[in-house]
Amino acid sequence: MRFDVAIVGAGPAGLAAAVNAAESGLTVVLVDAGTQPGGQFWRHPDEAAAAAAGTTVGESDGHHDWKRFADLRARLYALEDKGAVEYWRNTQVWLIEPGTSATTLRLTPTVAHDSHAPEVVTARHIILCPGGYDRQLPIPGWDLPGVMAAGGVQALLKGNRTAAGTVAVVGGTGPFLLPVATGLATAGVKVAAICEANSPTGWLKNLRGAVQAPEKGPEGLEYAAALAKHRIPYRVRTAVTAIHGNDKVEAVTIAKLAADGSVLPGTGRRVPCDLVALGWGFTAQLELVLAAGAETAVDVDDSLIAVVDERLRSSVPGVSVAGEATGVGGAAMAVVEGELAALCVAAEAGQSSAGNATLGGRIAKLQRNRERLRAFAVAMHRANPVPARWHSWLTPETVVCRCEEVSYGSLCDAHTELGAQDARSLKSFARPGMGWCQGRVCGFATASIAADFAGCPTSADDLRSMAKRTLAAPVTLGQLAALTPAIPTPCNPDEGL
Amino acid sequence: MNLPRFADVVVIGAGAVGAACAYFAAQAGLRVAVVDRGPIAGGTSSACEGNILVSDKEAGPELSLAQYSQTLWRGELAEFGHLWEFESKGGLVVSAKPGTQENLTRLAARQRNVGIDVELVDAANLKDYEPHLANGMAGGAFYPQDAQVQPMLAAAHLLRLARGMGATVHTNTKVTSFVRQGDAVTGVVTSQGTIAAPAVVNAAGTWGAAIAELAGVDVPVLPRKGYVMVTEPLPELVRHKVYAAEYVDNVASSYAGLQTSPVVEGTRGGTILIGSSRERVGFEKSVNPLVLAEMANKAIALFPFLADVLALRSYSGFRPYCPDHLPVIGPDPRAPGLWHACGHEGAGIGLSVGTGALIAATLTGTAPAMDLSPFAPERFDSLRQEAHA
């Protein structure tokens, strides 16, 4: 099957890209791993179950900007009904092969789901909207049951209306901790503390960026009111530095941080809880960007991101990137980027029913909007860095890579004994990132630890060596083999010794 | 670490071969400096399976070097085996057709004549070795001496041990030219400074030709690309290194197009490694899914259960390939002071320690344990002259 444009991901960026590309007259396929649109940000209860029950009341609970999603979703479904968008749910791309006139995507159903998608699709343009996921820092005890990514806690609340515990500590950095904490409180969970590693005074220094996104102001006030209402203590320059328990979380140690991110001696204290939600910003999901061979760089928040131009084109012809993968900036920016990428592709294809002059005006407006939102995102990143000396919270026994059970101590040995100077060498000698998740969880931490060993800032090479995955999703050898004709025997009888 | 101004020997390349050269040279009492433009084990050593094989070699100089290396891996280096995960897992070569088994039987006889342990396996007994092997195979041969190491750890620990004996290791240090006195090589100029040394060893692997060229000599090492796929971790389903008899043919051939032959082995971590492919496409790094597909196809034909097993990742690397499939080992008469230890193709990990010991012997003027003439660096010159004539 061949399309004008294939969009990967049906979160805020992908949804906006799909509906705008289709409304511009392009033939569109939308590929997404989820069973329903919205991505992580607009995760919501099962639509089929709600339809069967005859009510969508409560669907938007805990959401911001739900109206924007409802509008995009309605347009998507209308376009799908008309046949203007092919929307393949429960489908992952495991291989991307850019070509001279079209790019090929190889598809596989997500685990335990049926997919109606074919095994391969080609399109003249690809818009990658893979989104991002919570960035984690390994700390002592983070592998205990009851410790979750802040985004995971929120996904359970939004998608399943399930609170993951009864007494929670929310820790990390950034504004995302606020909706997680207030969401838990609204669901009846006692939030013992929010531990924000940075200080809101960081905002003052970055006021220029902040005031450029005025709609964030009221949102902040809303959270402040919610924190007051639920009596949630908001502790700044404070981090969860260790988690305690035998079979599950029983308590955490929270401590005040010095300016460099190390623990201020004597400030540690124990807080009982059964749920810990941790979030240190976000990691962009870059498998397909890297597999396509597109250029990447380190962003202000130390995340590896795709390098794109003002039309969101990557360094690979025919491959655009929109949303968190171009720099973490939140859902509003992702929607702008999705629309921008789609309209630029439409303009390039010369296929707008509205005419290219109108299109040019819309593109220019979106570009200005994107710049404004990007300035805000940069200000947020500058105000909420990962503490420089977070490594000092670790003990030799702290597990860094959970798949391969690699401890911080063994990374230190790989450095001091074996001469590993970079993340790739750490991986070669000690195996972090070699297991099931292929570095999706420990990649940032390992790159950051390598940079700390080398006494340098986190480098793009270190992040890349932990993020590069030839197969973007696991695929069975049988599926791989199906790309070539089957052979009856392992040996060619004519090729003896 | 600061670059020393002088050394007895500079080793260019911190892969398995360079590390072995540094280890044995340091053990022989030489002051060794190792330089590499990248990290330790950053080239082909980090993109292979860590094979220490005798099974895939015809009787001849390479097999002799493999046997000599075996005596070192299993002898004086045995005490460190756990550090680099030395595993004497044994290799099972499988024939699908009776004709192939006849050829394998003849190869085994030639190998046995030079002292290789090999047991021919009847079709009926194959599943005693590998219970999950496909039905209908014609037979096989089992090589108990075939072994494996974790190649990056082997290189890193050999270098660590060499440092313990006074060697220094300088990563991110690129050799840009040689110091010369007439024809003689008397040191290296690097991105970090100059080291004067009466001997320099080119252990740059697949990039050995470029280093030789800096010294104005021709060593025809070319890249021969190969992929390895890694599966999800599983309980032990494959006990040995298992490969189809056609692999031996492909190793020995010089065909430039794509060749694949199935090689399947379990690892200590539970993952299964799947090879192999050979193609001469220069240093092209992009992933060709059709190569992975062909490898998967052939691996499934050997072990049908693999069809439902998930591949988690793949990697590729470049074997240092010489036209006659033999490595280049020894002093270069065309540039006195320059030694070569490169061009081991797909056997460099297994052959590294033998190579290192031979180089150390020639550096110190002691008699090497075997005849080096088949590996002579200048052996290609006469071939070229004939070709030009």
Side-chain angles (χ1 to χ4, degrees):
Chain A
M1 283 206 213
R2 197 182 160 108
F3 294 85
D4 291 329
V5 54
I7 291 146
V8 183
L15 269 178
V19 300
N20 283 288
E23 286 164 1
S24 304
L26 299 168
T27 58
V28 175
V29 58
L30 174 62
V31 181
D32 187 58
T35 47
Q36 53 192 29
Q40 299 301 331
F41 185 75
W42 284 317
R43 184 185 282 273
H44 55 284
D46 185 26
E47 290 173 8
T55 175
T56 56
V57 172
E59 193 185 28
S60 63
D61 282 0
H63 277 280
H64 279 277
D65 242 358
W66 181 258
K67 269 170 75 179
R68 198 188 314 239
F69 171 64
D71 167 60
L72 288 169
R73 179 174 64 174
R75 284 155 72 191
L76 174 71
Y77 288 167
L79 290 160
E80 194 187 11
D81 287 345
K82 277 200 324 195
V85 170
E86 282 283 337
Y87 172 27
W88 295 335
R89 300 152 171 89
N90 304 322
T91 306
Q92 285 173 293
V93 179
W94 61 270
L95 195 71
I96 179 168
E97 302 165 82
T100 45
S101 63
T103 294
T104 302
L105 304 177
R106 309 240 172 223
L107 311 175
T108 181
T110 50
V111 175
H113 275 294
D114 290 328
S115 158
H116 302 293
E119 287 178 349
V120 57
V121 63
T122 59
R124 276 198 297 154
H125 298 272
I126 305 288
I127 304 176
L128 298 176
C129 308
Y133 56 91
D134 291 71
R135 194 157 64 177
Q136 293 299 312
L137 297 180
I139 56 172
W142 75 304
D143 45 350
L144 282 169
V147 184
M148 294 181 70
V153 170
Q154 205 188 33
L156 281 175
L157 286 172
K158 283 181 177 180
N160 305 71
R161 302 201 186 113
T162 299
T166 59
V167 181
V169 171
V170 178
T173 189
F176 180 57
L177 303 180
L178 299 173
V180 174
T182 55
L184 282 170
T186 308
V189 176
K190 178 181 186 309
V191 179
I194 299 176
C195 299
E196 164 59 61
N198 291 290
S199 161
T201 56
W203 279 88
L204 295 174
K205 292 183 215 150
N206 294 285
L207 204 58
R208 265 179 66 84
V211 294
Q212 286 182 23
E215 68 266 34
K216 294 282 176 183
E219 204 176 295
L221 292 176
E222 211 177 292
Y223 289 131
L227 295 188
K229 179 182 157 203
H230 295 289
R231 298 172 187 274
I232 301 174
Y234 182 70
R235 308 196 183 284
V236 300
R237 290 193 179 285
T238 303
V240 176
T241 55
I243 303 166
H244 314 285
N246 289 319
D247 304 321
K248 56 187 173 58
V249 172
E250 290 161 15
V252 295
T253 295
I254 67 174
K256 282 276 176 195
L257 301 180
D260 67 358
S262 58
V263 170
L264 281 176
T267 62
R269 64 186 185 87
R270 254 173 115 96
V271 178
C273 59
D274 61 4
L275 173 65
V276 187
L278 298 172
W280 294 98
F282 295 87
T283 294
Q285 189 103 36
L286 281 199
E287 284 85 359
L288 293 172
V289 170
L290 287 163
E295 218 176 285
T296 51
V298 184
D299 199 10
V300 196
D301 63 347
D302 282 343
S303 275
L304 192 70
I305 56 163
V307 174
V308 291
D309 67 9
E310 72 290 346
R311 298 172 79 83
L312 300 183
R313 293 174 296 198
S314 76
S315 62
V316 177
V319 178
S320 302
V321 187
E324 307 296 56
T326 69
V328 172
M333 183 169 161
V335 168
V336 169
E337 289 202 347
E339 184 174 350
L340 175 59
L343 295 188
C344 289
V345 167
E348 204 178 309
Q351 279 222 2
S352 170
S353 51
N356 261 330
T358 327
L359 204 52
R362 282 176 68 193
I363 287 171
K365 192 175 165 205
L366 286 164
Q367 285 172 329
R368 284 194 301 276
N369 213 348
R370 173 175 180 255
E371 271 173 42
R372 186 177 59 89
L373 291 164
R374 170 71 188 164
F376 176 74
V378 167
M380 297 293 261
H381 294 324
R382 294 228 162 94
N384 297 289
V386 168
R389 297 211 55 233
W390 70 269
H391 324 91
S392 65
W393 312 340
L394 306 182
T395 67
E397 296 76 31
T398 307
V399 172
V400 174
C401 165
R402 292 164 67 163
C403 299
E404 292 291 315
E405 298 178 346
V406 180
S407 67
Y408 179 59
S410 58
L411 294 183
C412 294
D413 289 347
H415 170 62
T416 54
E417 300 288 310
L418 299 181
Q421 305 283 354
D422 53 20
R424 183 169 172 245
S425 301
L426 287 178
K427 194 172 163 181
S428 292
F429 301 158
R431 298 188 62 79
M434 293 280 233
W436 266 109
C437 90
Q438 290 289 296
R440 285 170 176 89
V441 177
C442 72
F444 172 79
T446 303
S448 172
I449 288 168
D452 181 51
F453 288 157
C456 313
T458 309
S459 78
D461 279 342
D462 282 340
L463 290 165
R464 266 186 222 117
S465 66
M466 298 302 296
K468 194 157 186 193
R469 293 161 201 123
T470 352
L471 304 172
V475 63
T476 66
L477 288 161
Q479 276 175 291
L480 255 177
L483 298 182
T484 59
I487 44 159
T489 65
C491 306
N492 182 338
D494 301 326
E495 270 189 66
L497 290 168
Chain B
M1 181 181 281
N2 287 337
L3 220 55
R5 291 174 61 199
F6 308 98
D8 292 328
V9 55
V10 172
V11 176
I12 304 172
V17 174
C21 290
Y23 172 83
F24 286 103
Q27 196 184 49
L30 299 175
R31 281 178 305 169
V32 181
V34 181
V35 296
D36 195 296
R37 62 174 181 175
I40 290 166
T44 310
S45 296
S46 68
C48 62
E49 296 160 299
N51 284 332
I52 301 182
L53 300 188
V54 294
S55 56
D56 64 340
K57 294 169 181 65
E58 267 287 358
E62 195 195 3
L63 185 56
S64 301
L65 180 56
Q67 287 174 288
Y68 175 48
S69 296
Q70 284 260 346
T71 64
L72 298 170
W73 286 116
R74 293 173 187 277
E76 66 172 279
L77 295 173
E79 62 174 303
F80 309 118
H82 65 286
L83 297 174
W84 40 67
E85 300 172 10
F86 182 90
E87 195 183 353
S88 191
K89 57 164 66 166
L92 182 70
V93 184
V94 178
S95 305
K97 300 284 172 188
T100 314
Q101 182 64 11
E102 284 165 28
N103 290 332
L104 181 60
T105 305
R106 282 193 288 274
L107 172 70
R110 293 191 295 274
Q111 292 168 322
R112 197 179 285 124
N113 278 341
V114 296
I116 300 298
D117 291 342
V118 48
E119 302 153 18
L120 288 169
V121 183
D122 290 341
N125 297 331
L126 279 172
K127 294 213 177 189
D128 295 343
Y129 288 84
E130 290 294 341
H132 300 282
L133 199 66
N135 295 324
M137 297 290 171
F142 180 68
Y143 294 80
Q145 290 164 318
D146 279 359
Q148 190 174 36
V149 291
Q150 206 275 36
M152 293 87 85
L153 287 179
H157 277 286
L158 283 170
L159 287 173
R160 181 183 61 82
L161 294 165
R163 285 202 307 271
M165 297 183 283
T168 58
V169 180
H170 312 275
T171 51
N172 300 315
T173 303
K174 183 183 164 80
V175 172
T176 54
S177 65
F178 286 98
V179 184
R180 305 299 287 262
Q181 278 178 9
D183 280 348
V185 166
T186 57
V188 292
V189 180
T190 77
S191 55
Q192 308 297 318
T194 298
I195 311 174
V200 177
V201 180
N202 170 17
T206 314
W207 298 269
I211 293 295
E213 203 181 319
L214 286 180
V217 293
D218 183 30
V219 173
V221 179
L222 291 169
R224 200 180 187 194
K225 186 176 181 179
Y227 292 88
V228 176
M229 278 186 289
V230 187
T231 69
E232 61 186 298
L234 296 166
E236 188 187 72
L237 295 170
V238 180
R239 298 173 179 174
H240 308 96
K241 182 180 190 80
V242 182
Y243 62 89
E246 66 182 307
Y247 175 77
V248 184
D249 262 359
N250 285 350
V251 169
S253 104
S254 299
Y255 182 61
L258 172 66
Q259 292 175 311
T260 60
S261 45
V263 179
V264 179
E265 63 193 303
T267 66
R268 219 178 258 190
T271 57
I272 293 173
L273 302 184
I274 293 169
S276 68
S277 69
R278 294 180 152 67
E279 45 183 338
R280 277 163 49 196
V281 289
F283 286 104
E284 174 57 51
K285 279 188 185 165
S286 66
V287 180
N288 181 348
L290 294 178
V291 179
L292 299 180
E294 207 171 297
M295 287 162 57
N297 218 334
K298 292 189 177 181
I300 291 166
L302 211 49
F303 286 100
F305 78 87
L306 288 172
D308 299 320
V309 171
L310 289 170
L312 290 189
R313 66 191 177 100
S314 75
Y315 55 88
S316 64
F318 301 99
R319 303 176 184 89
Y321 155 90
C322 281
D324 61 1
H325 301 283
L326 291 177
V328 181
I329 303 170
D332 193 328
R334 301 165 299 180
L338 179 63
W339 270 251
H340 299 283
C342 57
H344 295 74
E345 204 170 336
I349 305 303
L351 303 181
S352 62
V353 294
T355 302
L358 292 171
I359 290 284
T362 58
L363 283 169
T364 52
T366 45
M370 60 181 282
D371 174 25
L372 284 180
S373 61
F375 311 123
E378 70 280 16
R379 69 185 188 269
F380 302 99
D381 290 355
S382 57
L383 293 174
R384 298 228 161 174
Q385 278 153 15
E386 279 164 31
H388 285 289

